[in-house]
Amino acid sequence: METHEVKWSFSSLKDYINCPRQYQEIKVLKNYTKYPTAEMRYGTEVHKAIEDYVGEGKPLAANYERFAEQLQPLIDMEGEKHPELRMAIGFDRKPCRWGEYWVRGIADLVVLNDDTAFIVDYKTGSSKYPDPKQLQLMALMVFAHFPQIKHVKAGLLFVMHEHFFMFEYARADEEKLWQDFYPHLERLRLSYENGVWQENPTALCGWCPVKRCQFYKEK
């Protein structure tokens, strides 16, 4: 299997890195389904509420009004706003149709202003260990879709804790930024090619749906 034949997204690659065996059972063999948790469902609801508020000006529901103050800077931000922006690129790293992708993803909010783009990713979980890798991939996809953009400022907004972490990316560093993903993609390609999907036991095994794994345990 060639590298370009392995379709991926940030979440699917993260699933593979976390546990190749789980990835195989769910995404390749389709023996199990990974159902959303209550926390994930709540996160989806909050994302939708924020998307409608920032992108369309729809009022926040009473239980989400506490987010209004920290969202105001996004509403006041100058530029062309794209909430829930879908982006897909082919193996040549050029924009392509959503269904004909090599990698694709959805950015919670992209604001274009001259040669700079602002990307915001809303988070409802813990802000203890912020992971910027998804923002890095979104920045690369923005560079691919908007040739005029030379700089990206990207932030993780943890709405439950009112924490905001900012990261910056430059088009001049594009090749270097891609290199952070390629080693993991090569491992994924080799798993497909060789049929080796190694288990990775962690404290999260109790939440894994793959019950026939030797490391499975009831939570």
Side-chain angles (χ1 to χ4, degrees):
M1 173 176 283
E2 298 295 330
T3 306
H4 67 273
E5 295 177 321
V6 181
K7 297 180 181 294
W8 63 290
S9 64
F10 176 79
S11 60
S12 68
L13 185 60
K14 187 174 181 179
D15 285 344
Y16 173 79
I17 294 170
N18 288 341
C19 183
R21 171 71 186 282
Q22 184 193 80
Y23 178 99
Q24 180 204 29
E25 292 283 354
I26 294 175
K27 297 186 180 298
V28 182
L29 301 178
K30 302 187 185 304
N31 289 330
Y32 298 92
T33 300
K34 196 174 183 179
Y35 294 101
T37 63
E39 291 79 9
M40 293 169 65
R41 289 193 293 270
Y42 177 73
T44 300
E45 291 175 5
V46 171
H47 271 72
K48 178 59 177 172
I50 294 176
E51 174 195 347
D52 292 344
Y53 180 66
V54 174
E56 301 179 25
K58 292 183 179 180
L60 289 167
N63 55 325
Y64 298 141
E65 287 180 349
R66 64 188 187 278
F67 302 144
E69 184 176 350
Q70 55 184 311
L71 294 174
Q72 192 60 43
L74 303 182
I75 294 175
D76 296 339
M77 188 178 293
E78 294 183 0
E80 180 184 321
K81 293 185 174 69
H82 297 271
E84 292 294 301
L85 180 62
R86 291 188 171 202
M87 295 178 286
I89 59 178
F91 187 66
D92 58 2
R93 299 191 334 213
K94 294 181 179 179
C96 67
R97 294 181 180 179
W98 185 254
E100 300 173 356
Y101 70 104
W102 169 57
V103 57
R104 66 184 183 184
I106 303 175
D108 289 341
L109 177 66
V110 175
V111 183
L112 306 177
N113 190 349
D114 195 23
D115 65 352
T116 300
F118 299 86
I119 303 174
V120 181
D121 188 14
Y122 312 127
K123 297 294 185 183
T124 54
S126 170
S127 60
K128 191 173 182 180
Y129 302 108
D131 181 3
K133 279 293 187 289
Q134 185 171 13
L135 289 177
Q136 183 172 325
L137 179 60
M138 290 297 105
L140 287 165
M141 298 181 82
V142 164
F143 287 140
H145 281 260
F146 302 99
Q148 78 276 20
I149 298 300
K150 296 179 181 178
H151 307 281
V152 169
K153 296 181 179 181
L156 294 172
L157 176 57
F158 290 86
V159 294
M160 306 300 293
H161 307 281
E162 298 187 23
H163 289 169
F164 187 76
F165 299 88
M166 178 70 78
F167 307 87
E168 297 192 21
Y169 306 98
R171 181 179 289 276
D173 298 327
E174 210 171 349
E175 290 302 324
K176 181 181 177 181
L177 294 171
W178 274 115
Q179 292 307 314
D180 286 342
F181 297 98
Y182 284 155
H184 299 299
L185 291 170
E186 178 62 10
R187 284 182 53 219
L188 176 58
R189 184 191 70 80
L190 289 173
S191 285
Y192 272 104
E193 184 175 282
N194 302 325
V196 177
W197 306 85
Q198 188 65 44
E199 298 92 345
N200 181 34
T202 69
L204 298 177
C205 287
W207 284 265
C208 179
V210 184
K211 295 185 177 181
R212 66 180 178 185
C213 175
Q214 61 176 317
F215 297 106
Y216 175 81
K217 57 184 177 181
E218 294 287 347
K219 58 183 176 181

